[in-house]
C-alpha cells in the first residue's frame, strides 16, 4: 500500500481520535502507521490484499468500535464475509486485523505469536487476541489491575522524585527502550537492565480528550465503545511520563527528554515536550491501578541498586533470600572452624611459652 496522503492522514486523525486540530502533533504516530501499512521491500502480490486502501484501515477500526464484545473469529467474518480458505488470504486478513488494532489502540494483538511458549520479560508474558476470545477480554488480559502490594505503590508515588529518568540511569544504571506497544509500558527487563517506555504521547493526549467527559473509573467495555481505552489507564501512562520520568520542573530530566527526542534512531514523540495537562483533573487520592507493580519495581531498583561490577552482582545474587539458609549454615560452620582453630593456636602458644620457660630454667639448674 502506498504512503497515506495528507488528506487521508487528516481523516484518520479525525475519525479515530477526534483530533483534527492536533493533526500536526501526530508525526511519530504516522511513522508507526507507515511502518505497519507500507511494505519495507517490494514484493509480488499473489493473493488479494485484505487492505486495499487507507480507508479500509479506518473501516476496520471503526467497525471494531461498534461491537467490542465480538470474538476475533466473529469480527473477521463480519469484515471479511467471503468464505475464503486460501492460506495466503487468511494470513492477509489476520494481519489486517492486527494492524487495525495496533493503529486504533497501540496494542500489539499478535505479540504472543512471535515468541516461544515460555517467553517472558520481568514476569510479563506477551498475549494475543485469540480466535474465540472477546476483544474486551483481550484488553483486560493485556492490562491486568492486580496490584501485588498497594503500600509499595503508594510509597513509590510518594517518593516519585527518586524515579526521574536521570536518577534511574545514574543510580540503577537503567537504560531505556522505546515501544509502540502500550502493554509494555514501564516493563523492566532484568537481563538487560532496560525499562521500556511508551513513546506515543500525542496518541495518549488525544485519547484523554476523547474520554474527558467519562468518569475516571469507566470500564473497558464502555471505553472501547467510545473508541478509547479506560481513562485511568491513559492518565496513569501520561502521568508516569510527564510527572514522574520527565517532570518539566527538573532541568536534568528536561534535558534528558530533549536528547532522546532529538535522537532520530530512538524517535521519541516530540509532543512529550508539550506539557498541556491531562484534559481532566487528577484526583487527590490518585493511585496507580494498571502500572502500580511496575512503578514499585522501579522504585525498588533505584533505592536498592544492584552493583555495576560483576563481583558485587555475584555477592548480591548469592545473598538473596533463597540462599539465606545456606549462608547461615556456612557462617555457623566457619564460626565453629575458626573457634576450633583459635583453641589450637592458644594451646600451641601455651606449649611454646612452656618450652621457652623450660629452656631458661634448665641452664640455671646445671650451673
Amino acid at each position: 500500500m502506498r504512503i497515506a496522503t495528507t488528506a487521508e492522514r487528516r481523516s484518520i486523525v479525525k475519525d479515530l481520535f477526534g483530533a483534527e486540530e492536533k493533526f500536526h502533533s501526530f508525526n511519530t504516530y504516522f511513522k508507526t502507521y507507515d511502518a505497519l501499512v507500507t511494505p519495507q521491500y517490494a514484493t509480488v502480490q499473489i493473493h488479494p490484499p485484505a487492505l486495499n486502501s487507507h480507508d479500509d484501515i479506518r473501516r476496520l477500526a471503526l467497525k471494531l468500535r461498534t461491537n467490542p464484545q465480538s470474538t476475533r473469529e466473529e469480527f473477521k467474518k463480519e469484515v471479511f464475509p467471503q468464505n475464503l480458505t486460501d492460506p495466503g488470504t487468511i494470513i492477509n486478513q489476520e494481519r489486517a486485523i492486527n494492524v487495525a488494532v495496533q493503529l486504533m489502540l497501540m496494542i500489539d494483538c499478535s505479540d504472543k505469536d512471535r515468541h516461544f511458549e515460555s517467553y517472558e520479560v520481568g514476569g510479563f508474558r506477551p498475549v494475543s487476541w485469540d480466535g474465540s476470545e472477546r476483544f474486551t477480554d483481550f484488553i483486560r488480559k493485556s492490562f491486568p489491575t492486580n496490584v501485588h502490594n498497594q503500600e509499595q505503590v503508594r510509597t513509590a508515588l510518594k517518593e516519585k522524585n527518586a524515579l526521574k529518568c536521570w536518577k534511574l540511569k545514574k543510580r540503577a544504571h537503567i537504560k531505556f527502550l522505546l515501544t509502540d506497544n502500550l502493554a509494555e509500558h514501564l516493563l523492566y527487563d532484568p537481563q538487560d537492565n532496560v525499562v521500556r517506555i511508551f513513546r506515543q504521547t500525542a496518541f495518549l493526549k488525544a485519547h484523554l480528550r476523547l474520554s474527558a467527559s467519562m468518569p475516571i473509573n469507566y470500564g473497558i467495555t464502555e471505553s472501547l465503545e467510545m473508541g478509547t481505552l479506560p481513562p485511568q489507564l491513559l492518565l496513569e501512562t501520561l502521568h508516569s511520563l510527564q510527572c514522574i520520568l520527565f517532570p518539566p520542573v527538573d532541568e536534568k530530566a528536561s534535558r534528558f527528554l530533549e536528547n532522546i527526542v532529538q535522537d532520530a534512531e530512538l524517535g521519541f514523540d516530540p509532543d512529550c515536550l508539550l506539557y498541556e495537562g491531562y484534559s481532566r483533573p487528577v484526583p487527590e487520592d490518585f493511585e496507580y491501578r494498571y502500572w502500580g507493580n511496575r512503578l514499585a519495581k522501579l522504585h525498588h531498583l533505584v533505592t536498592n541498586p544492584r552493583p555495576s561490577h560483576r563481583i558485587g552482582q555475584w555477592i548480591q545474587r548469592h545473598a538473596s533470600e533463597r540462599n539465606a539458609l545456606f549462608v547461615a549454615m556456612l557462617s555457623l560452620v566457619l564460626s565453629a572452624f575458626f573457634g576450633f582453630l583459635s583453641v589450637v593456636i592458644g594451646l600451641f602458644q601455651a606449649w611454646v611459652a612452656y618450652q621457652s620457660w623450660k629452656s631458661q630454667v634448665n641452664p640455671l639448674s646445671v650451673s
Side-chain angles (χ1 to χ4, degrees), residues 1 30 41 70 75 234 239 309 314 347 358 360:
M1 189 186 299
F30 279 109
Y41 305 102
S70 299
F75 180 68
L234 298 167
H239 181 270
H309 50 83
W314 184 92
L347 291 173
K358 185 178 179 182
Q360 292 175 2

Side-chain angles (χ1 to χ4, degrees), residues 2-9 12 30 33-34 37-38 54:
R2 60 172 173 76
I3 293 178
T5 64
T6 301
E8 288 170 330
R9 295 185 179 207
I12 291 166
F30 279 109
Y33 182 99
D34 292 339
V37 305
T38 306
H54 298 282

Side-chain angles (χ1 to χ4, degrees), residues 295-319:
L295 195 73
K297 177 64 178 178
L298 294 182
H299 181 263
H300 174 77
L301 289 171
V302 80
T303 53
N304 301 275
R306 68 178 188 177
S308 57
H309 50 83
R310 292 189 176 184
I311 295 177
Q313 291 176 10
W314 184 92
I315 293 173
Q316 187 182 63
R317 186 167 59 250
H318 287 78

Side-chain angles (χ1 to χ4, degrees), residues 53-103:
S53 67
H54 298 282
D55 283 340
D56 287 344
I57 298 173
R58 288 171 39 238
R59 177 178 61 86
L60 289 184
L62 294 173
K63 195 71 175 177
L64 185 58
R65 180 189 298 183
T66 61
N67 189 10
Q69 295 280 17
S70 299
T71 66
R72 186 177 181 118
E73 283 300 322
E74 290 171 346
F75 180 68
K76 187 170 73 170
K77 288 178 181 178
E78 185 177 4
V79 294
F80 301 116
Q82 306 89 349
N83 189 20
L84 302 176
T85 58
D86 180 76
T89 301
I90 293 174
I91 290 174
N92 283 337
Q93 292 175 349
E94 296 289 355
R95 183 179 180 278
I97 293 173
N98 295 341
V99 169
V101 172
Q102 177 84 44
L103 295 176

Side-chain angles (χ1 to χ4, degrees), residues 124-136:
F124 167 80
R125 290 194 174 185
V127 297
S128 294
W129 184 16
D130 300 326
S132 60
E133 183 177 39
R134 296 181 186 274
F135 187 60
T136 50

Side-chain angles (χ1 to χ4, degrees), residues 164-174 176 252 256 302 305:
K164 296 172 184 176
C165 53
W166 63 270
K167 289 185 179 180
L168 288 172
K169 183 177 180 179
K170 181 179 180 180
R171 298 177 182 176
H173 314 290
I174 286 175
F176 297 96
K252 289 184 179 180
F256 191 102
V302 80

Side-chain angles (χ1 to χ4, degrees), residues 206-313:
H207 275 279
L208 277 167
R209 286 191 292 270
L210 277 177
S211 62
S213 61
M214 306 175 188
I216 193 171
N217 60 350
Y218 220 47
I220 285 177
T221 301
E222 297 82 2
S223 298
L224 290 174
E225 289 173 348
M226 297 289 293
T228 187
L229 290 164
Q232 174 78 27
L233 171 63
L234 298 167
L235 183 57
E236 283 183 31
T237 307
L238 189 59
H239 181 270
S240 66
L241 290 169
Q242 293 197 322
C243 185
I244 295 181
L245 291 176
F246 309 111
V249 295
D250 187 273
E251 184 179 350
K252 289 184 179 180
S254 298
R255 190 161 56 247
F256 191 102
L257 177 59
E258 290 173 2
N259 289 337
I260 62 174
V261 166
Q262 293 169 5
D263 190 329
E265 186 176 344
L266 292 175
F268 197 79
D269 195 345
D271 182 79
C272 194
L273 293 167
L274 302 176
Y275 294 84
E276 304 170 296
Y278 304 106
S279 300
R280 64 162 63 242
V282 179
E284 292 184 6
D285 58 347
F286 180 61
E287 294 186 341
Y288 275 33
R289 293 176 50 218
Y290 291 95
W291 305 133
N293 293 331
R294 296 180 184 180
L295 195 73
K297 177 64 178 178
L298 294 182
H299 181 263
H300 174 77
L301 289 171
V302 80
T303 53
N304 301 275
R306 68 178 188 177
S308 57
H309 50 83
R310 292 189 176 184
I311 295 177
Q313 291 176 10

Side-chain angles (χ1 to χ4, degrees), residues 194-215:
V194 165
V195 172
R196 304 182 188 187
I197 53 176
F198 184 67
R199 66 170 181 161
Q200 301 278 358
T201 55
F203 166 90
L204 289 172
K205 292 177 183 179
H207 275 279
L208 277 167
R209 286 191 292 270
L210 277 177
S211 62
S213 61
M214 306 175 188

